[in-house]
Amino acid sequence: MIKHTKIVATVSDQRCEVEFVRSLFKEAHFVTDEDIAAMQELEVLPDRTIQDYRSTYNDIRDWLRREKSGKESEESKIDWDDVVFEIDLLKSQEINLDYILELIFEHNKKIKDKTSLIEEIRRVIRASIGNRAKESLVVDFMNETDLDAIRDKANIIDSFFEYAQRKQKIEATELIEEENLNEEAAKRYITTSLKREFASENGTELNSILPKMSPLNPQYLTKKQSVFKKLSLFIEKFKGVGGQL
């Protein structure tokens, strides 16, 4: 009898706590019991569908940036000022790199077909604002790594960062050689940009890494813009992976 009374008392306490929280929620968000009941009837979208929506959102956002900065924006009759993209709405649900790598480890145990696994991970990356630039890096890691040999989640994170740091060195060297840049100055510029997580055209840093060419040369500005674009993509791809050039 005493045990039964204690159980009844516990259930009663829990109900009181739920009602109290419900009351606070209603007061904070100005909703009624009817509103709450209506919200409970709403169907929650599957995670995969939400990822697709986020990915499409990011695709449109990236396209809009190109549209506004290119020649098309001069000819377009669309008033882009009327189009608002609330990036802050997604920040609270942003997917970080560790989560993506842990997802690779978990999914690899279920999806033995690497092609299907890569396609699934691409969907996740494209739904992430902060990691879209790392898509090719993550996919290369998956293609060039024996995922079955990775023991645990900590191991896959360590393996990825070791891989990314090696790729960073290789691609930095290739970029410097392809563009015939001043090697020492270029490495300083890249290292600084990686630390601040963006490439900058301000100051004389960028000019100092360019091949010797007169600023009056018609090709100078084109070369500078081309190099800056490639460096910006490089920084976006490798920022946050650590390592040294």
Side-chain angles (χ1 to χ4, degrees):
M1 183 67 180
I2 294 174
K3 185 177 181 180
H4 176 71
T5 303
K6 285 183 178 179
I7 293 174
V8 172
T10 301
V11 172
S12 178
D13 290 342
Q14 289 176 341
R15 286 176 178 170
C16 288
E17 186 176 347
V18 169
E19 286 302 320
F20 177 70
V21 173
R22 186 186 183 97
S23 176
L24 289 178
F25 179 83
K26 286 161 59 178
E27 183 177 342
H29 298 282
F30 305 100
V31 295
T32 65
D33 288 331
E34 290 75 14
D35 294 328
I36 294 175
M39 286 187 282
Q40 290 173 333
E41 293 295 323
L42 293 174
E43 182 179 352
V44 179
L45 293 173
D47 289 342
R48 190 184 184 102
T49 302
I50 293 173
Q51 283 180 359
D52 287 343
Y53 282 146
R54 286 163 62 90
S55 178
T56 301
Y57 173 97
N58 289 330
D59 287 339
I60 294 172
R61 172 175 169 267
D62 290 344
W63 172 81
L64 174 58
R65 283 182 171 177
R66 295 193 298 271
E67 179 77 7
K68 292 182 72 173
S69 62
K71 292 181 180 179
E72 294 87 351
S73 61
E74 298 176 4
E75 303 170 358
S76 177
K77 296 180 181 179
I78 301 174
D79 184 1
W80 293 112
D81 292 333
D82 290 338
V83 182
V84 179
F85 285 81
E86 297 291 350
I87 300 304
D88 288 338
L89 293 177
L90 295 182
K91 285 183 179 178
S92 61
Q93 299 179 358
E94 177 60 4
I95 302 167
N96 62 36
L97 187 55
D98 284 2
Y99 171 82
I100 293 171
L101 295 170
E102 290 174 359
L103 207 60
I104 293 172
F105 177 78
E106 291 292 344
H107 281 31
N108 183 59
K109 293 186 293 186
K110 305 171 186 174
I111 306 174
K112 292 305 179 181
D113 175 19
K114 186 172 277 191
T115 301
S116 299
L117 175 61
I118 288 174
E119 187 58 35
E120 182 66 26
I121 296 303
R122 281 186 188 275
R123 296 166 67 95
V124 176
I125 295 174
R126 289 170 184 171
S128 166
I129 297 174
N131 292 294
R132 285 167 71 84
K134 289 181 171 58
E135 180 180 340
S136 63
L137 183 61
V138 174
V139 170
D140 287 345
F141 166 72
M142 295 174 68
N143 278 323
E144 298 173 27
T145 302
D146 181 3
L147 298 176
D148 293 332
I150 293 178
R151 300 184 303 276
D152 51 39
K153 292 179 181 179
N155 187 221
I156 195 171
I157 292 173
D158 290 341
S159 298
F160 171 79
F161 279 95
E162 288 172 6
Y163 173 86
Q165 289 168 15
R166 289 197 304 271
K167 290 283 284 188
Q168 180 178 251
K169 275 187 175 182
I170 293 169
E171 292 192 21
T173 299
E174 290 175 347
L175 177 56
I176 291 170
E177 291 177 353
E178 288 172 4
E179 296 297 329
N180 193 27
L181 305 179
N182 181 321
E183 183 177 359
E184 188 177 339
K187 286 185 175 180
R188 280 199 306 271
Y189 175 89
I190 293 172
T191 299
T192 300
S193 299
L194 286 170
K195 286 181 179 178
R196 67 188 173 206
E197 298 194 342
F198 66 90
S200 173
E201 290 183 278
N202 298 331
T204 59
E205 286 181 297
L206 183 59
N207 295 337
S208 69
I209 74 175
L210 297 173
K212 288 186 178 180
M213 186 185 300
S214 170
L216 299 178
N217 188 319
Q219 298 299 316
Y220 178 81
L221 184 57
T222 301
K223 180 68 172 179
K224 182 177 180 179
Q225 291 174 338
S226 172
V227 169
F228 179 69
K229 182 177 180 180
K230 290 183 179 181
L231 286 168
S232 296
L233 293 173
F234 179 91
I235 301 305
E236 283 298 309
K237 181 177 181 177
F238 290 104
K239 67 181 182 183
V241 306
Q244 296 180 343
L245 299 181

